[in-house]
Amino acid sequence: MNTRTALALVLGGLAVYLAYHNPVLGTAIGLGVVVVTLLLSLLDE
């Protein structure tokens, strides 16, 4: 597991936790994590 994957997992877990307590904020952070992860994976290739 590289650093990018670990960071994406941590941010994903944080988004799930925030979505449980505050759905609007959790959804926004979750979408941000997905977009950043996809961009990093596309730029890595």
Side-chain angles (χ1 to χ4, degrees):
M1 180 185 313
N2 59 17
T3 306
R4 289 180 183 175
T5 305
L7 183 61
L9 288 174
V10 169
L11 290 177
L14 179 64
V16 169
Y17 174 77
L18 287 175
Y20 180 74
H21 290 287
N22 187 353
V24 174
L25 182 62
T27 302
I29 292 175
L31 287 175
V33 169
V34 169
V35 169
V36 169
T37 304
L38 287 175
L39 287 175
L40 287 175
S41 68
L42 289 174
L43 291 175
D44 193 34
E45 292 178 0

PDB file of all heavy atoms in Angstrom:
ATOM      1  N   MET A   1       0.860  -1.180   0.000  1.00  0.00           N
ATOM      2  CA  MET A   1       0.000   0.000   0.000  1.00  0.00           C
ATOM      3  C   MET A   1       0.896   1.230   0.000  1.00  0.00           C
ATOM      4  O   MET A   1       1.809   1.349   0.796  1.00  0.00           O
ATOM      5  CB  MET A   1      -0.885  -0.015   1.252  1.00  0.00           C
ATOM      6  CG  MET A   1      -1.798   1.182   1.306  1.00  0.00           C
ATOM      7  SD  MET A   1      -2.800   1.378   2.787  1.00  0.00           S
ATOM      8  CE  MET A   1      -3.496  -0.198   3.055  1.00  0.00           C
ATOM      9  N   ASN A   2       0.604   2.134  -0.921  1.00  0.00           N
ATOM     10  CA  ASN A   2       1.402   3.346  -0.973  1.00  0.00           C
ATOM     11  C   ASN A   2       0.729   4.466  -0.177  1.00  0.00           C
ATOM     12  O   ASN A   2      -0.359   4.302   0.370  1.00  0.00           O
ATOM     13  CB  ASN A   2       1.665   3.759  -2.424  1.00  0.00           C
ATOM     14  CG  ASN A   2       0.373   4.014  -3.180  1.00  0.00           C
ATOM     15  OD1 ASN A   2      -0.680   4.181  -2.591  1.00  0.00           O
ATOM     16  ND2 ASN A   2       0.475   4.051  -4.503  1.00  0.00           N
ATOM     17  N   THR A   3       1.382   5.602  -0.115  1.00  0.00           N
ATOM     18  CA  THR A   3       0.892   6.724   0.684  1.00  0.00           C
ATOM     19  C   THR A   3      -0.424   7.271   0.145  1.00  0.00           C
ATOM     20  O   THR A   3      -1.311   7.630   0.921  1.00  0.00           O
ATOM     21  CB  THR A   3       1.954   7.847   0.698  1.00  0.00           C
ATOM     22  OG1 THR A   3       3.187   7.290   1.132  1.00  0.00           O
ATOM     23  CG2 THR A   3       1.551   8.960   1.623  1.00  0.00           C
ATOM     24  N   ARG A   4      -0.571   7.318  -1.161  1.00  0.00           N
ATOM     25  CA  ARG A   4      -1.813   7.834  -1.754  1.00  0.00           C
ATOM     26  C   ARG A   4      -3.007   6.979  -1.366  1.00  0.00           C
ATOM     27  O   ARG A   4      -4.075   7.487  -1.049  1.00  0.00           O
ATOM     28  CB  ARG A   4      -1.694   7.890  -3.271  1.00  0.00           C
ATOM     29  CG  ARG A   4      -0.775   8.960  -3.760  1.00  0.00           C
ATOM     30  CD  ARG A   4      -0.723   8.940  -5.258  1.00  0.00           C
ATOM     31  NE  ARG A   4       0.216   9.929  -5.753  1.00  0.00           N
ATOM     32  CZ  ARG A   4       0.532  10.066  -7.007  1.00  0.00           C
ATOM     33  NH1 ARG A   4       0.011   9.264  -7.913  1.00  0.00           N
ATOM     34  NH2 ARG A   4       1.388  10.987  -7.385  1.00  0.00           N
ATOM     35  N   THR A   5      -2.826   5.667  -1.407  1.00  0.00           N
ATOM     36  CA  THR A   5      -3.917   4.763  -1.061  1.00  0.00           C
ATOM     37  C   THR A   5      -4.288   4.912   0.407  1.00  0.00           C
ATOM     38  O   THR A   5      -5.467   4.959   0.757  1.00  0.00           O
ATOM     39  CB  THR A   5      -3.518   3.305  -1.355  1.00  0.00           C
ATOM     40  OG1 THR A   5      -3.112   3.208  -2.717  1.00  0.00           O
ATOM     41  CG2 THR A   5      -4.667   2.367  -1.111  1.00  0.00           C
ATOM     42  N   ALA A   6      -3.288   4.990   1.277  1.00  0.00           N
ATOM     43  CA  ALA A   6      -3.552   5.156   2.699  1.00  0.00           C
ATOM     44  C   ALA A   6      -4.275   6.470   2.979  1.00  0.00           C
ATOM     45  O   ALA A   6      -5.225   6.515   3.767  1.00  0.00           O
ATOM     46  CB  ALA A   6      -2.241   5.092   3.479  1.00  0.00           C
ATOM     47  N   LEU A   7      -3.852   7.526   2.317  1.00  0.00           N
ATOM     48  CA  LEU A   7      -4.497   8.824   2.512  1.00  0.00           C
ATOM     49  C   LEU A   7      -5.940   8.803   2.007  1.00  0.00           C
ATOM     50  O   LEU A   7      -6.835   9.329   2.667  1.00  0.00           O
ATOM     51  CB  LEU A   7      -3.703   9.916   1.788  1.00  0.00           C
ATOM     52  CG  LEU A   7      -4.212  11.344   1.947  1.00  0.00           C
ATOM     53  CD1 LEU A   7      -4.179  11.749   3.409  1.00  0.00           C
ATOM     54  CD2 LEU A   7      -3.375  12.298   1.118  1.00  0.00           C
ATOM     55  N   ALA A   8      -6.172   8.163   0.884  1.00  0.00           N
ATOM     56  CA  ALA A   8      -7.536   8.065   0.356  1.00  0.00           C
ATOM     57  C   ALA A   8      -8.431   7.266   1.296  1.00  0.00           C
ATOM     58  O   ALA A   8      -9.593   7.616   1.516  1.00  0.00           O
ATOM     59  CB  ALA A   8      -7.519   7.433  -1.031  1.00  0.00           C
ATOM     60  N   LEU A   9      -7.892   6.198   1.894  1.00  0.00           N
ATOM     61  CA  LEU A   9      -8.676   5.405   2.837  1.00  0.00           C
ATOM     62  C   LEU A   9      -9.001   6.193   4.102  1.00  0.00           C
ATOM     63  O   LEU A   9     -10.120   6.125   4.615  1.00  0.00           O
ATOM     64  CB  LEU A   9      -7.921   4.118   3.198  1.00  0.00           C
ATOM     65  CG  LEU A   9      -7.860   3.067   2.107  1.00  0.00           C
ATOM     66  CD1 LEU A   9      -6.956   1.916   2.535  1.00  0.00           C
ATOM     67  CD2 LEU A   9      -9.245   2.552   1.777  1.00  0.00           C
ATOM     68  N   VAL A  10      -8.033   6.941   4.601  1.00  0.00           N
ATOM     69  CA  VAL A  10      -8.270   7.758   5.795  1.00  0.00           C
ATOM     70  C   VAL A  10      -9.310   8.832   5.516  1.00  0.00           C
ATOM     71  O   VAL A  10     -10.244   9.035   6.307  1.00  0.00           O
ATOM     72  CB  VAL A  10      -6.948   8.381   6.296  1.00  0.00           C
ATOM     73  CG1 VAL A  10      -7.211   9.432   7.363  1.00  0.00           C
ATOM     74  CG2 VAL A  10      -6.037   7.297   6.842  1.00  0.00           C
ATOM     75  N   LEU A  11      -9.187   9.513   4.395  1.00  0.00           N
ATOM     76  CA  LEU A  11     -10.154  10.546   4.051  1.00  0.00           C
ATOM     77  C   LEU A  11     -11.532   9.952   3.777  1.00  0.00           C
ATOM     78  O   LEU A  11     -12.549  10.558   4.114  1.00  0.00           O
ATOM     79  CB  LEU A  11      -9.671  11.347   2.839  1.00  0.00           C
ATOM     80  CG  LEU A  11      -8.465  12.248   3.100  1.00  0.00           C
ATOM     81  CD1 LEU A  11      -8.029  12.921   1.811  1.00  0.00           C
ATOM     82  CD2 LEU A  11      -8.764  13.276   4.174  1.00  0.00           C
ATOM     83  N   GLY A  12     -11.565   8.774   3.200  1.00  0.00           N
ATOM     84  CA  GLY A  12     -12.851   8.099   2.985  1.00  0.00           C
ATOM     85  C   GLY A  12     -13.523   7.741   4.298  1.00  0.00           C
ATOM     86  O   GLY A  12     -14.729   7.903   4.461  1.00  0.00           O
ATOM     87  N   GLY A  13     -12.730   7.255   5.251  1.00  0.00           N
ATOM     88  CA  GLY A  13     -13.273   6.955   6.573  1.00  0.00           C
ATOM     89  C   GLY A  13     -13.780   8.199   7.271  1.00  0.00           C
ATOM     90  O   GLY A  13     -14.833   8.187   7.921  1.00  0.00           O
ATOM     91  N   LEU A  14     -13.056   9.290   7.139  1.00  0.00           N
ATOM     92  CA  LEU A  14     -13.489  10.562   7.723  1.00  0.00           C
ATOM     93  C   LEU A  14     -14.789  11.029   7.068  1.00  0.00           C
ATOM     94  O   LEU A  14     -15.687  11.518   7.760  1.00  0.00           O
ATOM     95  CB  LEU A  14     -12.398  11.617   7.540  1.00  0.00           C
ATOM     96  CG  LEU A  14     -12.701  13.013   8.068  1.00  0.00           C
ATOM     97  CD1 LEU A  14     -12.870  12.974   9.587  1.00  0.00           C
ATOM     98  CD2 LEU A  14     -11.603  13.979   7.685  1.00  0.00           C
ATOM     99  N   ALA A  15     -14.908  10.860   5.764  1.00  0.00           N
ATOM    100  CA  ALA A  15     -16.133  11.256   5.067  1.00  0.00           C
ATOM    101  C   ALA A  15     -17.321  10.429   5.540  1.00  0.00           C
ATOM    102  O   ALA A  15     -18.418  10.954   5.727  1.00  0.00           O
ATOM    103  CB  ALA A  15     -15.947  11.115   3.558  1.00  0.00           C
ATOM    104  N   VAL A  16     -17.116   9.137   5.764  1.00  0.00           N
ATOM    105  CA  VAL A  16     -18.200   8.286   6.253  1.00  0.00           C
ATOM    106  C   VAL A  16     -18.614   8.716   7.656  1.00  0.00           C
ATOM    107  O   VAL A  16     -19.801   8.803   7.965  1.00  0.00           O
ATOM    108  CB  VAL A  16     -17.779   6.802   6.229  1.00  0.00           C
ATOM    109  CG1 VAL A  16     -18.780   5.932   6.968  1.00  0.00           C
ATOM    110  CG2 VAL A  16     -17.621   6.332   4.794  1.00  0.00           C
ATOM    111  N   TYR A  17     -17.638   9.001   8.508  1.00  0.00           N
ATOM    112  CA  TYR A  17     -17.942   9.457   9.867  1.00  0.00           C
ATOM    113  C   TYR A  17     -18.717  10.774   9.842  1.00  0.00           C
ATOM    114  O   TYR A  17     -19.720  10.927  10.540  1.00  0.00           O
ATOM    115  CB  TYR A  17     -16.635   9.616  10.654  1.00  0.00           C
ATOM    116  CG  TYR A  17     -16.830  10.210  12.022  1.00  0.00           C
ATOM    117  CD1 TYR A  17     -17.324   9.435  13.057  1.00  0.00           C
ATOM    118  CD2 TYR A  17     -16.527  11.544  12.276  1.00  0.00           C
ATOM    119  CE1 TYR A  17     -17.511   9.976  14.325  1.00  0.00           C
ATOM    120  CE2 TYR A  17     -16.714  12.093  13.528  1.00  0.00           C
ATOM    121  CZ  TYR A  17     -17.199  11.303  14.549  1.00  0.00           C
ATOM    122  OH  TYR A  17     -17.395  11.839  15.792  1.00  0.00           O
ATOM    123  N   LEU A  18     -18.269  11.719   9.028  1.00  0.00           N
ATOM    124  CA  LEU A  18     -18.964  13.003   8.942  1.00  0.00           C
ATOM    125  C   LEU A  18     -20.339  12.861   8.306  1.00  0.00           C
ATOM    126  O   LEU A  18     -21.274  13.561   8.691  1.00  0.00           O
ATOM    127  CB  LEU A  18     -18.116  14.004   8.150  1.00  0.00           C
ATOM    128  CG  LEU A  18     -16.887  14.532   8.878  1.00  0.00           C
ATOM    129  CD1 LEU A  18     -16.076  15.419   7.952  1.00  0.00           C
ATOM    130  CD2 LEU A  18     -17.276  15.293  10.130  1.00  0.00           C
ATOM    131  N   ALA A  19     -20.476  11.955   7.345  1.00  0.00           N
ATOM    132  CA  ALA A  19     -21.776  11.750   6.713  1.00  0.00           C
ATOM    133  C   ALA A  19     -22.780  11.193   7.715  1.00  0.00           C
ATOM    134  O   ALA A  19     -23.974  11.466   7.617  1.00  0.00           O
ATOM    135  CB  ALA A  19     -21.641  10.810   5.521  1.00  0.00           C
ATOM    136  N   TYR A  20     -22.299  10.424   8.674  1.00  0.00           N
ATOM    137  CA  TYR A  20     -23.191   9.888   9.698  1.00  0.00           C
ATOM    138  C   TYR A  20     -23.708  11.002  10.601  1.00  0.00           C
ATOM    139  O   TYR A  20     -24.870  11.004  10.987  1.00  0.00           O
ATOM    140  CB  TYR A  20     -22.449   8.835  10.522  1.00  0.00           C
ATOM    141  CG  TYR A  20     -23.289   8.211  11.603  1.00  0.00           C
ATOM    142  CD1 TYR A  20     -24.285   7.289  11.274  1.00  0.00           C
ATOM    143  CD2 TYR A  20     -23.103   8.532  12.934  1.00  0.00           C
ATOM    144  CE1 TYR A  20     -25.066   6.715  12.249  1.00  0.00           C
ATOM    145  CE2 TYR A  20     -23.880   7.959  13.919  1.00  0.00           C
ATOM    146  CZ  TYR A  20     -24.859   7.050  13.573  1.00  0.00           C
ATOM    147  OH  TYR A  20     -25.625   6.499  14.548  1.00  0.00           O
ATOM    148  N   HIS A  21     -22.839  11.960  10.920  1.00  0.00           N
ATOM    149  CA  HIS A  21     -23.222  13.049  11.821  1.00  0.00           C
ATOM    150  C   HIS A  21     -23.800  14.258  11.091  1.00  0.00           C
ATOM    151  O   HIS A  21     -24.674  14.940  11.610  1.00  0.00           O
ATOM    152  CB  HIS A  21     -22.024  13.492  12.668  1.00  0.00           C
ATOM    153  CG  HIS A  21     -21.632  12.452  13.675  1.00  0.00           C
ATOM    154  ND1 HIS A  21     -22.373  12.191  14.787  1.00  0.00           N
ATOM    155  CD2 HIS A  21     -20.583  11.609  13.716  1.00  0.00           C
ATOM    156  CE1 HIS A  21     -21.810  11.233  15.477  1.00  0.00           C
ATOM    157  NE2 HIS A  21     -20.712  10.851  14.841  1.00  0.00           N
ATOM    158  N   ASN A  22     -23.284  14.562   9.912  1.00  0.00           N
ATOM    159  CA  ASN A  22     -23.745  15.723   9.142  1.00  0.00           C
ATOM    160  C   ASN A  22     -23.761  15.324   7.670  1.00  0.00           C
ATOM    161  O   ASN A  22     -22.738  15.400   6.986  1.00  0.00           O
ATOM    162  CB  ASN A  22     -22.808  16.908   9.375  1.00  0.00           C
ATOM    163  CG  ASN A  22     -23.309  18.182   8.739  1.00  0.00           C
ATOM    164  OD1 ASN A  22     -24.287  18.174   8.006  1.00  0.00           O
ATOM    165  ND2 ASN A  22     -22.628  19.274   9.016  1.00  0.00           N
ATOM    166  N   PRO A  23     -24.914  14.897   7.157  1.00  0.00           N
ATOM    167  CA  PRO A  23     -24.964  14.341   5.788  1.00  0.00           C
ATOM    168  C   PRO A  23     -24.478  15.282   4.691  1.00  0.00           C
ATOM    169  O   PRO A  23     -23.832  14.838   3.748  1.00  0.00           O
ATOM    170  CB  PRO A  23     -26.448  14.021   5.598  1.00  0.00           C
ATOM    171  CG  PRO A  23     -26.988  13.858   6.968  1.00  0.00           C
ATOM    172  CD  PRO A  23     -26.192  14.802   7.831  1.00  0.00           C
ATOM    173  N   VAL A  24     -24.737  16.567   4.803  1.00  0.00           N
ATOM    174  CA  VAL A  24     -24.331  17.495   3.741  1.00  0.00           C
ATOM    175  C   VAL A  24     -22.814  17.615   3.675  1.00  0.00           C
ATOM    176  O   VAL A  24     -22.203  17.508   2.608  1.00  0.00           O
ATOM    177  CB  VAL A  24     -24.991  18.872   3.955  1.00  0.00           C
ATOM    178  CG1 VAL A  24     -24.476  19.873   2.946  1.00  0.00           C
ATOM    179  CG2 VAL A  24     -26.494  18.756   3.883  1.00  0.00           C
ATOM    180  N   LEU A  25     -22.183  17.824   4.811  1.00  0.00           N
ATOM    181  CA  LEU A  25     -20.724  17.964   4.862  1.00  0.00           C
ATOM    182  C   LEU A  25     -20.043  16.658   4.469  1.00  0.00           C
ATOM    183  O   LEU A  25     -19.066  16.649   3.719  1.00  0.00           O
ATOM    184  CB  LEU A  25     -20.284  18.401   6.257  1.00  0.00           C
ATOM    185  CG  LEU A  25     -18.797  18.644   6.461  1.00  0.00           C
ATOM    186  CD1 LEU A  25     -18.314  19.767   5.559  1.00  0.00           C
ATOM    187  CD2 LEU A  25     -18.506  18.959   7.902  1.00  0.00           C
ATOM    188  N   GLY A  26     -20.560  15.548   4.956  1.00  0.00           N
ATOM    189  CA  GLY A  26     -19.971  14.242   4.628  1.00  0.00           C
ATOM    190  C   GLY A  26     -20.055  13.932   3.149  1.00  0.00           C
ATOM    191  O   GLY A  26     -19.120  13.397   2.565  1.00  0.00           O
ATOM    192  N   THR A  27     -21.164  14.280   2.537  1.00  0.00           N
ATOM    193  CA  THR A  27     -21.322  14.045   1.097  1.00  0.00           C
ATOM    194  C   THR A  27     -20.341  14.895   0.300  1.00  0.00           C
ATOM    195  O   THR A  27     -19.720  14.408  -0.649  1.00  0.00           O
ATOM    196  CB  THR A  27     -22.762  14.358   0.664  1.00  0.00           C
ATOM    197  OG1 THR A  27     -23.651  13.541   1.417  1.00  0.00           O
ATOM    198  CG2 THR A  27     -22.957  14.087  -0.809  1.00  0.00           C
ATOM    199  N   ALA A  28     -20.184  16.146   0.686  1.00  0.00           N
ATOM    200  CA  ALA A  28     -19.258  17.028  -0.029  1.00  0.00           C
ATOM    201  C   ALA A  28     -17.820  16.523   0.084  1.00  0.00           C
ATOM    202  O   ALA A  28     -17.086  16.477  -0.913  1.00  0.00           O
ATOM    203  CB  ALA A  28     -19.363  18.445   0.523  1.00  0.00           C
ATOM    204  N   ILE A  29     -17.416  16.131   1.274  1.00  0.00           N
ATOM    205  CA  ILE A  29     -16.049  15.628   1.457  1.00  0.00           C
ATOM    206  C   ILE A  29     -15.873  14.298   0.722  1.00  0.00           C
ATOM    207  O   ILE A  29     -14.835  14.054   0.104  1.00  0.00           O
ATOM    208  CB  ILE A  29     -15.719  15.492   2.946  1.00  0.00           C
ATOM    209  CG1 ILE A  29     -15.639  16.877   3.577  1.00  0.00           C
ATOM    210  CG2 ILE A  29     -14.416  14.743   3.165  1.00  0.00           C
ATOM    211  CD1 ILE A  29     -15.431  16.873   5.073  1.00  0.00           C
ATOM    212  N   GLY A  30     -16.886  13.443   0.770  1.00  0.00           N
ATOM    213  CA  GLY A  30     -16.809  12.157   0.068  1.00  0.00           C
ATOM    214  C   GLY A  30     -16.642  12.328  -1.425  1.00  0.00           C
ATOM    215  O   GLY A  30     -15.829  11.644  -2.046  1.00  0.00           O
ATOM    216  N   LEU A  31     -17.397  13.233  -2.004  1.00  0.00           N
ATOM    217  CA  LEU A  31     -17.249  13.492  -3.443  1.00  0.00           C
ATOM    218  C   LEU A  31     -15.873  14.070  -3.761  1.00  0.00           C
ATOM    219  O   LEU A  31     -15.273  13.738  -4.780  1.00  0.00           O
ATOM    220  CB  LEU A  31     -18.341  14.442  -3.924  1.00  0.00           C
ATOM    221  CG  LEU A  31     -19.738  13.842  -4.019  1.00  0.00           C
ATOM    222  CD1 LEU A  31     -20.752  14.918  -4.402  1.00  0.00           C
ATOM    223  CD2 LEU A  31     -19.762  12.713  -5.019  1.00  0.00           C
ATOM    224  N   GLY A  32     -15.375  14.927  -2.890  1.00  0.00           N
ATOM    225  CA  GLY A  32     -14.032  15.477  -3.088  1.00  0.00           C
ATOM    226  C   GLY A  32     -12.966  14.401  -3.058  1.00  0.00           C
ATOM    227  O   GLY A  32     -12.045  14.399  -3.876  1.00  0.00           O
ATOM    228  N   VAL A  33     -13.100  13.460  -2.133  1.00  0.00           N
ATOM    229  CA  VAL A  33     -12.141  12.357  -2.042  1.00  0.00           C
ATOM    230  C   VAL A  33     -12.188  11.505  -3.303  1.00  0.00           C
ATOM    231  O   VAL A  33     -11.148  11.111  -3.844  1.00  0.00           O
ATOM    232  CB  VAL A  33     -12.420  11.498  -0.783  1.00  0.00           C
ATOM    233  CG1 VAL A  33     -11.628  10.211  -0.816  1.00  0.00           C
ATOM    234  CG2 VAL A  33     -12.098  12.279   0.472  1.00  0.00           C
ATOM    235  N   VAL A  34     -13.385  11.228  -3.793  1.00  0.00           N
ATOM    236  CA  VAL A  34     -13.515  10.418  -5.004  1.00  0.00           C
ATOM    237  C   VAL A  34     -12.873  11.118  -6.200  1.00  0.00           C
ATOM    238  O   VAL A  34     -12.127  10.506  -6.964  1.00  0.00           O
ATOM    239  CB  VAL A  34     -15.006  10.103  -5.288  1.00  0.00           C
ATOM    240  CG1 VAL A  34     -15.192   9.511  -6.670  1.00  0.00           C
ATOM    241  CG2 VAL A  34     -15.540   9.167  -4.228  1.00  0.00           C
ATOM    242  N   VAL A  35     -13.132  12.398  -6.347  1.00  0.00           N
ATOM    243  CA  VAL A  35     -12.573  13.141  -7.475  1.00  0.00           C
ATOM    244  C   VAL A  35     -11.050  13.194  -7.403  1.00  0.00           C
ATOM    245  O   VAL A  35     -10.359  12.944  -8.391  1.00  0.00           O
ATOM    246  CB  VAL A  35     -13.172  14.562  -7.533  1.00  0.00           C
ATOM    247  CG1 VAL A  35     -12.421  15.440  -8.518  1.00  0.00           C
ATOM    248  CG2 VAL A  35     -14.636  14.498  -7.900  1.00  0.00           C
ATOM    249  N   VAL A  36     -10.508  13.502  -6.235  1.00  0.00           N
ATOM    250  CA  VAL A  36      -9.056  13.584  -6.085  1.00  0.00           C
ATOM    251  C   VAL A  36      -8.413  12.215  -6.315  1.00  0.00           C
ATOM    252  O   VAL A  36      -7.380  12.111  -6.978  1.00  0.00           O
ATOM    253  CB  VAL A  36      -8.687  14.142  -4.689  1.00  0.00           C
ATOM    254  CG1 VAL A  36      -7.213  13.979  -4.402  1.00  0.00           C
ATOM    255  CG2 VAL A  36      -9.090  15.597  -4.598  1.00  0.00           C
ATOM    256  N   THR A  37      -9.023  11.155  -5.803  1.00  0.00           N
ATOM    257  CA  THR A  37      -8.483   9.816  -6.011  1.00  0.00           C
ATOM    258  C   THR A  37      -8.474   9.443  -7.483  1.00  0.00           C
ATOM    259  O   THR A  37      -7.493   8.880  -7.988  1.00  0.00           O
ATOM    260  CB  THR A  37      -9.295   8.791  -5.200  1.00  0.00           C
ATOM    261  OG1 THR A  37      -9.292   9.157  -3.833  1.00  0.00           O
ATOM    262  CG2 THR A  37      -8.709   7.394  -5.335  1.00  0.00           C
ATOM    263  N   LEU A  38      -9.561   9.742  -8.187  1.00  0.00           N
ATOM    264  CA  LEU A  38      -9.597   9.453  -9.618  1.00  0.00           C
ATOM    265  C   LEU A  38      -8.561  10.262 -10.387  1.00  0.00           C
ATOM    266  O   LEU A  38      -7.892   9.725 -11.280  1.00  0.00           O
ATOM    267  CB  LEU A  38     -10.997   9.739 -10.175  1.00  0.00           C
ATOM    268  CG  LEU A  38     -12.075   8.735  -9.802  1.00  0.00           C
ATOM    269  CD1 LEU A  38     -13.428   9.201 -10.307  1.00  0.00           C
ATOM    270  CD2 LEU A  38     -11.746   7.370 -10.365  1.00  0.00           C
ATOM    271  N   LEU A  39      -8.406  11.529 -10.047  1.00  0.00           N
ATOM    272  CA  LEU A  39      -7.403  12.338 -10.731  1.00  0.00           C
ATOM    273  C   LEU A  39      -6.000  11.822 -10.478  1.00  0.00           C
ATOM    274  O   LEU A  39      -5.175  11.752 -11.396  1.00  0.00           O
ATOM    275  CB  LEU A  39      -7.516  13.799 -10.286  1.00  0.00           C
ATOM    276  CG  LEU A  39      -8.717  14.568 -10.827  1.00  0.00           C
ATOM    277  CD1 LEU A  39      -8.773  15.963 -10.203  1.00  0.00           C
ATOM    278  CD2 LEU A  39      -8.654  14.666 -12.336  1.00  0.00           C
ATOM    279  N   LEU A  40      -5.706  11.439  -9.234  1.00  0.00           N
ATOM    280  CA  LEU A  40      -4.370  10.921  -8.929  1.00  0.00           C
ATOM    281  C   LEU A  40      -4.122   9.604  -9.665  1.00  0.00           C
ATOM    282  O   LEU A  40      -3.007   9.358 -10.141  1.00  0.00           O
ATOM    283  CB  LEU A  40      -4.211  10.727  -7.423  1.00  0.00           C
ATOM    284  CG  LEU A  40      -4.060  12.010  -6.618  1.00  0.00           C
ATOM    285  CD1 LEU A  40      -4.026  11.680  -5.127  1.00  0.00           C
ATOM    286  CD2 LEU A  40      -2.808  12.761  -7.009  1.00  0.00           C
ATOM    287  N   SER A  41      -5.137   8.757  -9.746  1.00  0.00           N
ATOM    288  CA  SER A  41      -4.940   7.480 -10.439  1.00  0.00           C
ATOM    289  C   SER A  41      -4.761   7.699 -11.944  1.00  0.00           C
ATOM    290  O   SER A  41      -3.997   6.986 -12.590  1.00  0.00           O
ATOM    291  CB  SER A  41      -6.086   6.524 -10.150  1.00  0.00           C
ATOM    292  OG  SER A  41      -7.268   6.998 -10.734  1.00  0.00           O
ATOM    293  N   LEU A  42      -5.465   8.671 -12.508  1.00  0.00           N
ATOM    294  CA  LEU A  42      -5.304   8.942 -13.930  1.00  0.00           C
ATOM    295  C   LEU A  42      -3.948   9.579 -14.236  1.00  0.00           C
ATOM    296  O   LEU A  42      -3.336   9.289 -15.256  1.00  0.00           O
ATOM    297  CB  LEU A  42      -6.419   9.864 -14.426  1.00  0.00           C
ATOM    298  CG  LEU A  42      -7.801   9.230 -14.502  1.00  0.00           C
ATOM    299  CD1 LEU A  42      -8.840  10.280 -14.868  1.00  0.00           C
ATOM    300  CD2 LEU A  42      -7.818   8.094 -15.504  1.00  0.00           C
ATOM    301  N   LEU A  43      -3.480  10.441 -13.351  1.00  0.00           N
ATOM    302  CA  LEU A  43      -2.183  11.088 -13.569  1.00  0.00           C
ATOM    303  C   LEU A  43      -1.026  10.134 -13.322  1.00  0.00           C
ATOM    304  O   LEU A  43       0.059  10.328 -13.848  1.00  0.00           O
ATOM    305  CB  LEU A  43      -2.047  12.303 -12.667  1.00  0.00           C
ATOM    306  CG  LEU A  43      -2.962  13.486 -13.009  1.00  0.00           C
ATOM    307  CD1 LEU A  43      -2.819  14.570 -11.957  1.00  0.00           C
ATOM    308  CD2 LEU A  43      -2.647  14.035 -14.381  1.00  0.00           C
ATOM    309  N   ASP A  44      -1.261   9.085 -12.532  1.00  0.00           N
ATOM    310  CA  ASP A  44      -0.210   8.123 -12.211  1.00  0.00           C
ATOM    311  C   ASP A  44       0.097   7.225 -13.406  1.00  0.00           C
ATOM    312  O   ASP A  44       1.193   6.722 -13.537  1.00  0.00           O
ATOM    313  CB  ASP A  44      -0.625   7.299 -11.003  1.00  0.00           C
ATOM    314  CG  ASP A  44       0.517   6.512 -10.411  1.00  0.00           C
ATOM    315  OD1 ASP A  44       1.653   7.016 -10.453  1.00  0.00           O
ATOM    316  OD2 ASP A  44       0.259   5.420  -9.894  1.00  0.00           O
ATOM    317  N   GLU A  45      -0.877   7.026 -14.292  1.00  0.00           N
ATOM    318  CA  GLU A  45      -0.679   6.103 -15.430  1.00  0.00           C
ATOM    319  C   GLU A  45       0.137   6.697 -16.521  1.00  0.00           C
ATOM    320  O   GLU A  45       0.403   7.685 -16.856  1.00  0.00           O
ATOM    321  CB  GLU A  45      -2.028   5.679 -15.984  1.00  0.00           C
ATOM    322  CG  GLU A  45      -2.781   4.810 -15.019  1.00  0.00           C
ATOM    323  CD  GLU A  45      -4.140   4.418 -15.543  1.00  0.00           C
ATOM    324  OE1 GLU A  45      -4.508   4.826 -16.655  1.00  0.00           O
ATOM    325  OE2 GLU A  45      -4.832   3.701 -14.842  1.00  0.00           O
TER     326      GLU A  45
END
